[in-house]
Amino acid sequence: MGKSTDEHVANPDGTCPHVVVKENTEGGACLTGHDASLDPSTCAYRWQALTESKRNRTALYDKTPTAGARQKPAPMGLLATSAYLSNRGNLYPGQYGAVIRLPEPGDWHLDGPTRDDMEDAAGRPIRRGQNFSKHTWPYWHNSHHLIPKGLFNETIAEIEDADCQALIRLALLRAGYNINHHINVILLPQDLEVARVLGLPRHLILEDGSWMVEGSPKFDHLGYNWNVQDRLEPIINRYAKACDAELRKNCDTSKFKLSREELEELSNTCFRSVTEFGTTNPGEPISDMPKIPAF
């Protein structure tokens, strides 16, 4: 049936139900975040997030915020970033800076910048309309999987029976489940201060701390994963029960499908929880979110 640890397992006849559709957000089937490009396709999660943000999420990003009550000191007209020194003493990200200028109208918009003299935090020019084409334009950000792709595949891999694991993956791909669809991806700032003034949570803990996860690595949202896991495990367990019954009943499982609706509803619930947390706790890491409600 294919290797149980392979996110893109093969059907019994050797075909792969993984589907990539170019120039479209719909019609794909994918269980792993293998395409971090902005090339338009169903698997390209950064492109999916940016495309959906421009269509339906402009209220989250198209703002011209003021400094407000700073949590990190910075000169007038600037915000401190969350860039940090690497073990070699270099600033990370390399093409960034320790401070970023507060935006003029259009500077941070999804289709911005709208002026010709816009510069990034490192003093490099950003051409008109090129925001979010690099991970530091107009500010340091990331495309976050609301159901984290690693957690999703690890949860399936914890099922003891390898045939059951493989059938879950196959049955979800046959049902057209795409973990990289925009329903499951959101753009989040990395900088505490940028997230704060935008009214969003920040993606990672970095060096700005977390009250939920003590001693967590910089590049982590462990608390968020635990939170989602509480909602994801019952779904995967129901899938495992259905697949186990199918394997016991039929020798030929080549047409068996699972419903993707529960996973997509979990993504919707996570999106609401993340954005609501940003409203009430702007700038805080998603690891510090309260319990995700049942749906």
Side-chain angles (χ1 to χ4, degrees):
M1 191 175 288
K3 295 181 180 179
S4 61
T5 55
D6 182 5
E7 292 92 344
H8 289 162
V9 289
N11 285 311
D13 63 1
T15 60
C16 181
H18 170 251
V19 177
V20 55
V21 181
K22 300 291 186 181
E23 307 287 341
N24 206 322
T25 60
E26 308 305 314
C30 185
L31 303 184
T32 182
H34 63 93
D35 187 351
S37 75
L38 286 173
D39 296 334
S41 81
T42 50
C43 290
Y45 61 89
R46 288 179 61 215
W47 177 77
Q48 284 264 9
L50 183 57
T51 300
E52 177 64 8
S53 296
K54 289 180 176 180
R55 287 175 180 168
N56 296 309
R57 300 175 182 172
T58 55
L60 294 176
Y61 308 102
D62 286 1
K63 302 175 182 179
T64 309
T66 56
R70 302 173 191 271
Q71 293 187 31
K72 302 174 73 171
M76 185 71 66
L78 301 173
L79 293 174
T81 72
S82 294
Y84 61 89
L85 292 178
S86 69
N87 292 335
R88 296 184 177 183
N90 301 318
L91 192 71
Y92 187 88
Q95 295 184 345
Y96 208 46
V99 293
I100 187 170
R101 188 168 299 281
L102 280 162
E104 297 179 19
D107 282 357
W108 287 4
H109 286 197
L110 292 159
D111 61 356
T114 55
R115 58 186 174 101
D116 294 322
D117 54 349
M118 170 71 173
E119 293 182 347
D120 65 13
R124 297 178 176 87
I126 305 177
R127 299 186 306 278
R128 280 178 177 257
Q130 292 301 301
N131 281 351
F132 299 96
S133 62
K134 291 186 178 181
H135 73 293
T136 54
W137 287 3
Y139 45 77
W140 189 16
H141 65 276
N142 206 302
S143 298
H144 168 67
H145 283 78
L146 292 158
I147 300 175
K149 53 190 183 295
L151 173 67
F152 174 76
N153 283 293
E154 289 164 10
T155 303
I156 295 175
E158 287 175 358
I159 296 168
E160 291 185 4
D161 186 84
D163 285 340
C164 190
Q165 285 185 37
L167 186 55
I168 289 175
R169 299 184 194 280
L170 286 167
L172 284 173
L173 288 169
R174 291 169 190 156
Y177 179 64
N178 181 11
I179 201 166
N180 300 306
H181 187 265
H182 56 70
I183 197 174
N184 192 50
V185 194
I186 183 172
L187 294 171
L188 290 178
Q190 300 276 47
D191 296 319
L192 182 158
E193 289 286 79
V194 170
R196 178 183 62 80
V197 300
L198 286 173
L200 290 168
R202 71 181 192 269
H203 183 218
L204 301 177
I205 293 171
L206 300 176
E207 293 188 341
D208 291 318
S210 162
W211 61 265
M212 179 69 75
V213 186
E214 186 176 349
S216 180
K218 289 186 180 72
F219 289 102
D220 202 345
H221 41 64
L222 187 59
Y224 178 84
N225 283 21
W226 292 338
N227 206 343
V228 176
Q229 188 173 21
D230 287 343
R231 294 287 175 261
L232 178 63
E233 279 187 343
I235 297 172
I236 300 302
N237 287 341
R238 286 191 286 274
Y239 287 162
K241 185 175 180 179
C243 287
D244 181 67
E246 180 68 16
L247 287 164
R248 291 174 185 274
K249 183 174 61 176
N250 294 313
C251 294
D252 182 6
T253 60
S254 60
K255 304 298 182 184
F256 181 70
K257 296 180 181 180
L258 290 166
S259 172
R260 67 190 198 216
E261 291 180 0
E262 280 193 273
L263 291 173
E264 292 178 346
E265 184 55 37
L266 177 57
S267 293
N268 281 325
T269 301
C270 290
F271 178 84
R272 289 192 297 270
S273 296
V274 167
T275 53
E276 288 169 4
F277 179 67
T279 300
T280 57
N281 298 269
E284 297 304 307
I286 57 174
S287 280
D288 289 0
M289 284 173 51
K291 189 176 182 67
I292 294 172
F295 53 86

